[in-house]
Amino acid sequence: MFFKKKELEIVSPVKGKLISIKDVPDITFSEEMVGKGVAVIPEENELYSPVCGTVTTVFPTSHAIGLTTKDGIDILLHIGLDTVNLKGEGFDVKVKEGDEVKAGDLLVVADFEKIKLAGYRLETPVIICNPEQCKKLTYTKPQAVNKGDVIIKYLK
């Protein structure tokens, strides 16, 4: 008897506009140097976990969070572009390394107004850092998304 492998899902961390990673105006992301994924231009300040798993990294500057799913997929949520330069200003992280999270758990509250006023872009990449661990990746086409909408499906 054969069982069809179930596609696993990564959901949007925030309400906004889903765009192709190729359309992110930062070559580190658009040329997939960090990994494969998509980006969301956020319309709300609260960002939620796109997966169930463990918080593996909270960057000291609070602009990015690394998560690892139970099946070993490493996810990077990078809030805005070049926002490392804000040195944590405008980011209120609600989790710490080692925390177990479910998809939809609050990770960060970002002050996007402050981030924009400081001259930074809001595109928020959601990246699979070890895409070679996935047999197949499928991306949702660019569109308006709500928090929790599926943005990436993968087969492990």
Side-chain angles (χ1 to χ4, degrees), residues 65-79:
I65 294 181
L67 303 155
T68 301
T69 66
K70 295 191 184 333
D71 58 353
I73 300 300
D74 295 323
I75 306 292
L76 174 68
L77 177 64
H78 193 284
I79 306 162

Side-chain angles (χ1 to χ4, degrees), residues 30-46:
S30 64
E31 294 188 5
E32 300 179 332
M33 294 178 197
V34 179
K36 296 185 178 291
V38 295
V40 180
I41 302 170
E43 293 176 9
E44 298 176 343
N45 290 339
E46 294 180 340

Side-chain angles (χ1 to χ4, degrees), residues 45 86 88-91 110-120 122:
N45 290 339
L86 291 170
E89 285 293 314
F91 301 100
D111 185 342
F112 285 120
E113 209 47 50
K114 183 178 202 167
I115 292 166
K116 273 197 298 197
L117 287 172
Y120 296 99
L122 303 184

